[in-house]
Amino acid sequence: MRALIALVFFTGLAQANPAIDMDGYLQVSREAAEHREPRRVSEEEFIRMSREPGTVILDARSREKFDELHVKGALSLPFPDIAVESLEAALPDRSARILIYCNNNFANAEGPFPAKIARASLNLSTYIALYSYGYRNVYELGTLIDLKASKLPFVSRP
C-alpha cells in the first residue's frame, strides 16, 4: 500500500507544469546570448549612453544592496520581482534603451557588490529575463571595474 501511495505521489510530481518551460528557457537563453554579445559596453560607453534621454539604468540586485550603493539614477527592480506586472509598471516601453550592471562588474566592493561565480552572474539572468519579455534594446556593462577607480557616479540610500 505504501508503495502505491508513493507511486501516485511521485507520478503527480512528474507531470508537466505549463507555467515552467525549461526547453523554452534554454532556447531563449541561446538567442539572448547571441543578441547580448555586441551589446556589452565599456564604462565610458555606459556613462555616455546613460546621459541620453529615455535611457533607463536597471539594477536587479536586492533592494538592500541597491540601497547600500548603486549607480546614480538607477531604477531598482530586484531580479526575483521581475514579472509581467512589475515590468509593465517599471518599463512599459519595450523599445526603451535599458542599461544593466551587476555585482560582477565591480571589484573591491564586497559589501554592496558581493561576487557571484561567473556562470551565475546577475547580468546573465537579467539579460535573459528582459529578452524573454521582449526587451531588445538592452545593453550590459561588460567590464570589471575597481569600484575605487570607477568613473560612474554612485549614491546610497540612508
Side-chain angles (χ1 to χ4, degrees):
M1 182 65 163
R2 282 185 180 169
L4 179 59
I5 292 172
L7 178 63
V8 169
F9 179 74
F10 288 116
T11 302
L13 287 178
Q15 291 178 354
N17 179 343
I20 301 171
D21 181 3
M22 179 60 115
D23 291 336
Y25 176 80
L26 293 174
Q27 180 178 337
V28 79
S29 296
R30 285 187 292 274
E31 290 173 20
E34 188 174 312
H35 185 264
R36 170 184 168 265
E37 195 51 41
R39 294 170 169 273
R40 299 177 70 234
V41 298
S42 68
E43 181 180 29
E44 291 76 21
E45 291 171 299
F46 192 94
I47 291 168
R48 180 189 54 76
M49 294 168 84
S50 72
R51 293 177 178 153
E52 294 176 8
T55 299
V56 177
I57 303 170
L58 178 66
D59 188 322
R61 295 174 302 137
S62 72
R63 186 60 188 221
E64 176 186 343
K65 295 300 180 186
F66 178 85
D67 287 347
E68 193 172 335
L69 192 68
H70 60 273
V71 173
K72 186 177 181 179
L75 167 72
S76 175
L77 182 58
F79 185 77
D81 297 337
I82 292 176
V84 173
E85 288 182 21
S86 63
L87 284 171
E88 291 282 331
L91 302 166
D93 181 2
R94 286 198 173 115
S95 65
R97 179 191 292 151
I98 301 169
L99 304 177
I100 63 172
Y101 65 92
C102 81
N103 297 1
N104 286 16
N105 286 121
F106 303 103
N108 299 315
E110 281 300 310
F113 297 102
K116 294 180 174 275
I117 61 171
R119 65 181 169 267
S121 168
L122 187 56
N123 275 357
L124 301 175
S125 304
T126 303
Y127 200 101
I128 293 166
L130 292 172
Y131 187 89
S132 295
Y133 283 97
Y135 295 87
R136 298 295 187 267
N137 199 8
V138 179
Y139 292 82
E140 173 189 335
L141 182 58
T143 55
L144 177 62
I145 304 163
D146 185 322
L147 187 67
K148 295 171 188 149
S150 178
K151 297 173 190 147
L152 286 162
F154 291 95
V155 295
S156 60
R157 291 197 176 165

